[in-house]
Amino acid sequence: MNNTGESTSLPSAQDGAFIFDLDGTLVDSVPDITRAINLALKALKRPTCDEGDVRHWIGNGAKALVRRAVSSGFRPTIDVPQMLFEETYTQFLKYYSDTLCESSTLYPGVKETLAELKSIGYPLAIATNKPARFIAPICETLEINTFFSICVGGDSLPEKKPSPLPLAHLCHQLNKHAHHCIMVGDSKNDILAAKAAGMRSVGLTYGYNYGESISQYRPDWVFDDFREIISLLP
């Protein structure tokens, strides 16, 4: 589906590149994230949360996720004490490091599609709001690390998505023009960052977009299945 009415043709592999979000786009990581956040909450004797809640909290980075999880145990009018937030965040990072890829899985068709894009010659990159330290271990465990030339996390640069800075940084590193690159993601942060960077985008419907339809943010294409990306190739 093309939402903008602009040309659907893609640049060649020589000129273009694909940039991917990680959680909710390539990997369903919610089970492991939920386990880690609940272990952190239990350690501090706080109420735990459901996996369904966590699916709606992912997208703005680990600190925002932890703040939402801790806040769920308070009345809306009460602010989360900063010390409690910091302790929970530290515990979350520890537990997540220990349980990083116990239950996380690739979405259907991810590995095959990445392999095809790579074989054609397209440079591939990752722009995620997840802390950078977790990117390589996840990609290595799920055996997709060799597809990517460069990855940036939510703490790699002064700003994260929906700022265009991560995408602009990747374009610079790849020596590509933004208008020749495609951002692929499941969240409004991916689509807003792409628009701000002057980049076209694919919105995936199966991810973690806060319970909202990705279509309302008007990506250039909306797909229900990762494998549909191949239909864009010239």
Side-chain angles (χ1 to χ4, degrees), residues 12-215:
S12 66
Q14 181 177 353
D15 295 324
F18 283 86
I19 300 172
F20 298 92
D21 177 47
L22 185 60
D23 298 308
T25 296
L26 303 176
V27 180
D28 184 3
S29 52
V30 163
D32 289 325
I33 291 174
T34 303
R35 182 185 300 109
I37 195 67
N38 280 336
L39 287 170
L41 291 168
K42 286 178 182 177
L44 296 168
K45 297 179 171 55
R46 301 302 308 165
T48 57
C49 50
D50 296 328
E51 186 174 301
D53 293 327
V54 175
R55 287 188 181 274
H56 289 165
W57 294 339
I58 290 177
N60 293 110
K63 288 186 176 180
L65 168 68
V66 169
R67 191 172 295 280
R68 287 165 183 149
V70 176
S71 298
S72 69
F74 288 86
R75 294 194 303 275
T77 55
I78 298 179
D79 292 332
V80 176
Q82 183 63 21
M83 183 174 294
L84 175 60
F85 161 72
E86 291 175 357
E87 290 177 350
T88 309
Y89 181 66
T90 298
Q91 291 292 320
F92 167 73
L93 294 178
K94 172 186 176 295
Y95 286 120
Y96 191 47
S97 296
D98 294 340
T99 63
L100 197 56
C101 241
E102 288 187 3
S103 302
S104 295
T105 57
L106 295 175
Y107 287 105
V110 164
K111 186 177 289 188
E112 299 88 336
T113 303
L114 294 176
E116 184 164 353
L117 293 172
K118 187 75 172 179
S119 69
I120 294 170
Y122 281 101
L124 309 180
I126 288 177
T128 174
N129 284 347
K130 192 183 207 79
R133 75 182 82 171
F134 298 131
I135 301 173
I138 290 174
C139 290
E140 288 168 7
T141 300
L142 297 175
E143 299 180 342
I144 58 172
N145 55 303
T146 58
F147 296 126
F148 300 104
S149 303
I150 184 172
C151 304
V152 296
D155 52 359
S156 300
L157 299 166
E159 298 174 6
K160 59 181 181 291
K161 299 175 299 181
S163 166
L165 181 61
L167 305 190
H169 173 79
L170 289 172
C171 288
H172 177 74
Q173 294 296 311
L174 295 170
N175 196 27
K176 304 291 183 182
H177 293 292
H179 63 273
H180 286 162
C181 297
I182 307 294
M183 175 70 209
V184 180
D186 65 296
S187 165
K188 64 182 179 182
N189 292 326
D190 303 313
I191 310 308
L192 294 173
K195 289 181 182 295
M199 187 179 297
R200 287 180 291 177
S201 61
V202 170
L204 298 167
T205 61
Y206 55 72
Y208 315 143
N209 192 35
Y210 314 101
E212 301 176 327
S213 170
I214 195 69
S215 298

